[in-house]
Amino acid sequence: MVAGTGLSLTQLSQLSLAATSVSTEQTSATAGAAQKTASGRKVELFAHRGASALRPEHTLASYAKAIADGADFIEPDLVSTKDGVLVARHENFLNETTDVALRPEFAAKRVTRTIDGITLNGWFTEDFTLAELKTLRAVERLPKVRPKNTQYDRMFQILTWDEIIDFAAANAATTGKVIGLIPELKHSTYFAAIGLPLEDRFLASIAAHEYTQRCPLVVQSFEVANLKYLRSVLGKRPNIRLMQLVERGRPADVVAAGGDLTFEKMCTPQGLKEMARYADIVAPPTRALIPLLADGRLGQPTALIADAHAAGLLVHTWTFRPENRFLAADFRNDQGEDARHDNGSVAEMRRYIEAGIDGFFSDDSALGRRAIDG
């Protein structure tokens, strides 16, 4: 049995194969670590929290669907439980992605807490043991935008990082397709401050699994110090890359240390050269690469892709979603904000591929696969 799931590796593989049955041709055509565009350039497809446009995020169903639809990598965001177990939740805040609010036995655990400058009231993973967390069930995070996903509410447990590794390994052993893993270490400075540091637990976990010794593994973070620490321990390994996520403002570890380094400085030509000393990939949001014009349409690419490549970094971007509300204006249809526009989403992704990105995160791997394969 895989700990905490009640499922054997064979059963986990069967779950993945069940999702694959609707996409057999896609899956067989995309076997391998990463695919190439029609022009022959390799572009990697990362399943953002799994197939989160189609299934509740960070669940077995979401990961299985993404693999079936052609993802090269599946993404678990990692946070800690009270007893130090790494689990997959986008944030340690449980309100939006679990049924915790419906569970009276946990009412006393509701607190107000400030994490990386954001104050939230609710329930947090660090207040639950793994055994307690396993009694919760996942729910759709965006029920108004993705109402079809709510049919899967409360069907799936929260997964541990170890279970996700076993799931990917089981799928690879069954199908012959090696699935990469792209975990994000969330809120490293916060978890270290409360006595639950993530990094050494993470290192121990990848050392303990045969699969993570050889599968493509990308470790991502919005913080800097944790990536530098991982590089100092791991060195350069052929199957492991480090991804520096960037957004606006300052990294949380820089803020905590009273530093003045901003993400904007990190994305200058000199900043990218410094980043390349410890990271292999820079990952900005999509609009930092091709910004929106005043009318909401895509403009022209910035210099960031070229500057990053000149510094020796790959460029991966986040996140493509198929609903109109997330698309640039020139790729929407007239069916309403929450309606999907698959062709528009594919066309938008292709604009970014043409601009020179090396990979991207997508909520719908089937659409991402279409964009890459041409």
Side-chain angles (χ1 to χ4, degrees):
M1 294 291 180
V2 178
T5 65
L7 298 173
S8 67
L9 291 184
T10 300
Q11 289 170 317
L12 288 174
S13 297
Q14 289 170 344
L15 175 60
S16 181
L17 287 173
T20 307
S21 64
V22 298
S23 307
T24 303
E25 292 181 4
Q26 249 179 342
T27 303
S28 60
T30 58
Q35 305 306 307
K36 294 183 178 180
T37 64
S39 65
R41 184 167 58 85
K42 185 172 75 172
V43 176
E44 293 177 304
L45 174 57
F46 307 116
H48 185 238
R49 312 177 202 172
S52 51
L54 302 166
R55 305 289 187 272
E57 64 189 44
H58 294 312
T59 61
L60 282 176
S62 188
Y63 293 132
K65 179 62 173 166
I67 292 170
D69 285 349
D72 298 314
F73 290 73
I74 55 174
E75 183 208 27
D77 296 315
L78 300 182
V79 295
S80 181
T81 65
K82 183 177 182 178
D83 44 352
V85 180
L86 299 179
V87 295
R89 290 289 89 192
H90 176 56
E91 304 287 349
N92 52 333
F93 186 58
L94 293 168
N95 292 36
E96 296 175 339
T97 61
T98 75
D99 63 353
V100 66
L102 303 177
R103 306 296 292 274
E105 66 269 33
F106 297 127
K109 289 183 180 289
R110 184 166 193 155
V111 296
T112 298
R113 194 162 287 159
T114 300
I115 298 160
D116 294 350
I118 298 175
T119 300
L120 299 165
N121 178 265
W123 294 265
F124 299 84
T125 61
E126 62 269 26
D127 297 322
F128 290 73
T129 65
L130 178 62
E132 290 173 326
L133 210 58
K134 280 292 187 180
T135 68
L136 302 180
R137 293 296 182 270
V139 300
E140 170 56 38
R141 185 175 62 90
L142 301 172
K144 294 182 180 179
V145 180
R146 295 168 174 171
K148 290 183 179 180
N149 287 7
T150 61
Q151 67 183 299
Y152 305 105
D153 280 0
R154 307 188 77 181
M155 289 178 62
F156 297 98
Q157 292 183 343
I158 294 175
L159 295 169
T160 69
W161 165 230
D162 287 319
E163 289 167 347
I164 294 168
I165 297 172
D166 283 347
F167 175 66
N171 186 277
T174 304
T175 66
K177 178 182 178 180
V178 176
I179 297 298
L181 296 166
I182 182 164
E184 180 185 346
L185 300 183
K186 303 286 293 192
H187 309 302
S188 281
T189 296
Y190 168 79
F191 277 112
I194 62 173
L196 292 168
L198 307 179
E199 289 71 31
D200 286 336
R201 290 181 173 89
F202 175 77
L203 289 168
S205 71
I206 63 173
H209 287 265
E210 188 275 339
Y211 190 69
T212 44
Q213 299 302 303
R214 59 181 175 85
C215 77
L217 181 65
V218 178
V219 188
Q220 41 170 340
S221 179
F222 280 103
E223 299 190 23
V224 177
N226 56 0
L227 291 180
K228 289 182 175 180
Y229 174 69
L230 292 178
R231 178 64 79 201
S232 72
V233 175
L234 294 169
K236 289 276 191 176
R237 299 189 185 182
N239 70 311
I240 298 178
R241 291 172 290 168
L242 302 184
M243 174 188 285
Q244 178 67 69
L245 296 162
V246 297
E247 50 180 350
R248 294 181 179 178
R250 290 181 293 163
D253 56 320
V254 173
V255 172
D260 60 2
L261 179 66
T262 65
F263 287 114
E264 289 79 8
K265 289 180 182 177
M266 292 168 66
C267 289
T268 64
Q270 184 57 41
L272 292 165
K273 290 178 183 177
E274 292 298 319
M275 189 187 299
R277 295 178 183 272
Y278 65 89
D280 305 289
I281 304 161
V282 61
T286 55
R287 306 316 183 201
L289 300 177
I290 307 180
L292 298 179
L293 301 174
D295 62 0
R297 298 165 65 88
L298 280 188
Q300 294 300 310
T302 67
L304 184 50
I305 296 173
D307 289 345
H309 285 163
L313 293 164
L314 296 174
V315 180
H316 297 159
T317 193
W318 49 276
T319 299
F320 292 107
R321 298 179 167 99
E323 293 88 5
N324 280 320
R325 66 167 59 240
F326 302 117
L327 299 175
D330 36 340
F331 298 105
R332 297 175 187 167
N333 62 23
D334 59 0
Q335 301 303 304
E337 246 193 353
D338 294 331
R340 287 174 58 103
H341 185 28
D342 292 5
N343 290 338
S345 181
V346 170
E348 183 177 46
M349 287 184 275
R350 285 178 178 161
R351 280 282 300 275
Y352 282 81
I353 292 170
E354 291 164 3
I357 61 171
D358 303 293
F360 60 91
F361 291 86
S362 174
D363 280 6
D364 189 323
S365 293
L367 299 183
R369 185 84 276 137
R370 278 176 54 191
I372 292 171
D373 291 346

